Amino acid sequence: NIKSVTKTSAGTYQIEFTSPMGQGTYAVVVGTLNANNAFDAYYESRTDTGFTVRTYNVNLSTDESTYADFAFSFAVFATNSIPPKGTTGTDAWGDCAGDGSINASYNIDSVTKNNTGDYQVVFTTPMPTANDAVFGGVNTESACFGVETFNRTISGFDLRIDGTNGSPQDTDFSFAVNATNAQLPNTVTQEQIEAAINNPGLSAWG
């Protein structure tokens, strides 16, 4: 449901929907994609036709930020907007402890801790493309700087948690994955309908 993404200036991108949302009342999740512990992204200026994403670089020694170009992912959720026919919800998600053990998940085969704050995620069923959107967040009260994902393939991705001063840190975390062309068929059987009911996409958003 994205018509266009237009870069308007350094680190500033205008997102335009194909089908408008209702009155700008929707949730946006933005995540950065590169293995760099000194940048982040956020959104602003939501309207029914789109919103703005800004990516910025942070000088960790001075704590000053500057808008700069970085790769990013985003997802939009709205209760009063109908998604395009044939699309589906979240294709994989996980809730994990700092040691990499999985508390709960969907379509996740394994999460392996490679080093402090560094994890490798493997899907049970591969994505149809490596151009998926991955979002992460920490599940504990801490001074974490952010969650970064990189080395994305159809089989999985790497995830790193940056703590104070950008150094890797172990902590509980969650993530979700949306694939660009994973679709339900335009016509479905009763069995497929029941499977979709038993395995829904996002259960809550805000």
Side-chain angles (χ1 to χ4, degrees):
N1 194 31
I2 300 301
K3 180 179 180 180
S4 64
V5 177
T6 304
K7 177 184 171 183
T8 57
S9 61
T12 304
Y13 306 85
Q14 181 62 40
I15 315 299
E16 183 180 1
F17 301 132
T18 303
S19 299
M21 299 292 167
Q23 300 176 354
T25 53
Y26 49 84
V28 180
V29 182
V30 182
T32 49
L33 298 179
N34 295 333
N36 184 317
N37 61 11
F39 71 89
D40 209 339
Y42 67 93
Y43 71 91
E44 63 183 14
S45 304
R46 288 179 299 175
T47 70
D48 60 346
T49 58
F51 60 96
T52 300
V53 169
R54 289 184 180 269
T55 58
Y56 59 94
N57 187 60
V58 178
N59 186 323
L60 297 178
S61 61
T62 63
D63 202 29
E64 295 179 348
S65 60
T66 305
Y67 292 130
D69 298 339
F70 291 108
F72 63 94
S73 288
F74 61 89
V76 180
F77 308 97
T79 58
N80 57 351
S81 298
I82 300 175
K85 186 176 182 180
T87 59
T88 185
T90 299
D91 297 284
W93 60 267
D95 179 73
C96 304
D99 61 4
S101 59
I102 301 174
N103 298 322
S105 67
Y106 170 71
N107 195 26
I108 299 299
D109 181 69
S110 64
V111 176
T112 304
K113 179 180 176 182
N114 296 323
N115 210 330
T116 302
D118 188 356
Y119 308 87
Q120 182 181 41
V121 179
V122 177
F123 303 131
T124 302
T125 301
M127 296 294 135
T129 171
N131 294 322
D132 47 26
V134 185
F135 314 96
V138 295
N139 295 352
T140 184
E141 184 178 356
S142 67
C144 284
F145 180 79
V147 177
E148 300 172 272
T149 60
F150 49 99
N151 295 336
R152 292 178 301 159
T153 70
I154 62 172
S155 301
F157 60 93
D158 292 336
L159 181 149
R160 186 173 68 198
I161 301 172
D162 293 319
T164 306
N165 297 324
S167 59
Q169 177 175 315
D170 291 343
T171 188
D172 297 350
F173 62 95
S174 294
F175 59 85
V177 181
N178 293 83
T180 57
N181 60 354
Q183 292 190 338
L184 295 173
N186 289 329
T187 59
V188 296
T189 64
Q190 182 63 34
E191 183 180 64
Q192 290 171 322
I193 292 173
E194 292 176 356
I197 293 173
N198 293 328
N199 296 282
L202 292 177
S203 301
W205 63 270

